[in-house]
Amino acid sequence: MPHRLTTATAALLLLLLCGPAAAGCGGGADSDQVGVVLPLLTSPFWEAYNDEIPEQARKAGVRVLPTVNSDSDPGKQITDIDNLLAQDVKGLVVSPIDSAAIGPGLSAARRAHVPVVAVDVAPDRGRVAIVVRADNRAYGVKACHSLGRAVRRGTVVQIEGDLASVNGRDRTAAFDRCMARHHPDIKILDIAADWQAEKAAAGLEALYSAHPGIKGIYLQAGGVYLAPTLRTLQRHRALVPAGRRGHIAIVSNDGIPQELDAIRKGLIDATVSQPADLYAVYGMRYIKQAMAGKPFRAGPTGHGSTIVRLPGGNLEDQLPAPLVTRANVDDRSLWGNRV
């Protein structure tokens, strides 16, 4: 008991002398710390990204505060950014929930002279040092061609992401354009699910009940849509493995371990492996460079991607995102096989 009292007293004294953010009085823990803001933690994809952050920060030489989860709430995300800026962070790595609503948070960081790296979602307005993202239009095109080959003629359901996010808009627009051009005999039914499993489940239940002849499904986010989709099909006795009569072709996005297992079992046909691991790798490397004042330039990188300039003026590193099928599902280079 005396030892506990001594420890508590010492901790209180340290807090009074050094402030709430201190980790000792040797220079201040917040002198070069970085805040990381997540959009949500209800998806295995974002869980994997979150788990990668401490190790990739260590490798990059970045000191990170504990990650902050904005719980799919754009307003809370702005508050989270403001709270981190109040802690005098010197850099922010933010995954915007809403491409437009993130603007005030980016403006606050700019006024504080704190560089921001955006991960996974590009802002519609506001400046960032760089965006770390994959080409989401390519996701829609890959899903289109995979389903087009499998279905050829009939009805396909597209479970969309949040159209307030550039990711949802890009995937939807690319999928729709590709289908109209290359697979005109396929009819598309949309479910506006906003990255929410409950909306995906309710929407698919309603559509399948009205259209039991559905031949394919495009999941724009397997991390939140895979489980409710498989449960709904199973409830209707429509979850038939690939190669058997009545199989509904399913193509997903994310590359989580559960999707890879579903491909092995024949429950889904393919997924696009969105690079959760590389998002953490380059999110940390780029914020380190941004805090040091090093500029980024458009053009090929040394890691198999290209930095492009977006219409709004921000730069974006478009990381590779391979299509995963039965043929390459066991490839150890896929992050979903390593977590």
Side-chain angles (χ1 to χ4, degrees), residues 237-248:
R237 299 183 179 178
L239 189 59
V240 179
R244 297 186 185 179
R245 184 179 178 83
H247 171 68
I248 295 175

Side-chain angles (χ1 to χ4, degrees), residues 10 37 74 81-82 106 134-135 138 175 196 198 211 220 228 235 273 286 301 305 310:
V37 182
I81 291 172
D82 289 341
L106 299 182
D135 184 350
F175 183 77
Q196 295 179 32
E198 297 81 5
H211 304 273
Q220 287 193 8
R235 189 163 53 250
S273 181
Y286 284 152
T301 69
S305 66
L310 300 175

Side-chain angles (χ1 to χ4, degrees), residues 226 230 255-268 271 324 326 329-330 336-337 339:
L226 178 68
L230 297 184
I256 60 174
Q258 293 88 337
E259 287 170 302
L260 304 189
D261 287 343
I263 291 173
R264 294 184 184 99
K265 295 173 182 175
L267 302 180
I268 72 172
T271 187
V324 184
R326 205 79 173 271
V329 69
D330 294 321
N337 282 328
V339 297

Side-chain angles (χ1 to χ4, degrees), residues 4 83 86-87 89 126 139 152 172 214 217 225 262 264 277-278 304 338:
R4 290 183 182 180
N83 289 340
Q87 295 180 56
V89 294
Y139 294 3
R152 298 188 181 277
T172 297
I214 287 169
I217 304 174
Y225 298 159
R264 294 184 184 99
D277 55 341
L278 297 183
R338 302 196 307 269

Side-chain angles (χ1 to χ4, degrees), residues 45-130:
F45 178 85
W46 287 110
E47 291 173 357
Y49 170 75
N50 184 53
D51 291 344
E52 284 278 342
I53 290 295
E55 177 65 10
Q56 298 307 329
R58 184 190 65 78
K59 289 181 177 179
V62 173
R63 303 172 68 195
V64 289
L65 292 169
T67 56
V68 178
N69 174 18
S70 296
D71 292 320
S72 300
D73 183 340
K76 182 179 183 302
Q77 190 160 68
I78 301 304
T79 300
D80 291 338
I81 291 172
D82 289 341
N83 289 340
L84 288 167
L85 292 173
Q87 295 180 56
D88 199 29
V89 294
K90 301 306 179 187
L92 287 168
V93 178
V94 179
S95 299
I97 296 166
D98 184 308
S99 294
I102 195 65
L106 299 182
S107 296
R110 192 175 181 85
R111 288 193 299 271
H113 305 289
V114 172
V116 179
V117 170
V119 170
D120 181 58
V121 175
D124 285 340
R125 55 193 176 92
R127 304 296 296 179
V128 295
I130 195 168

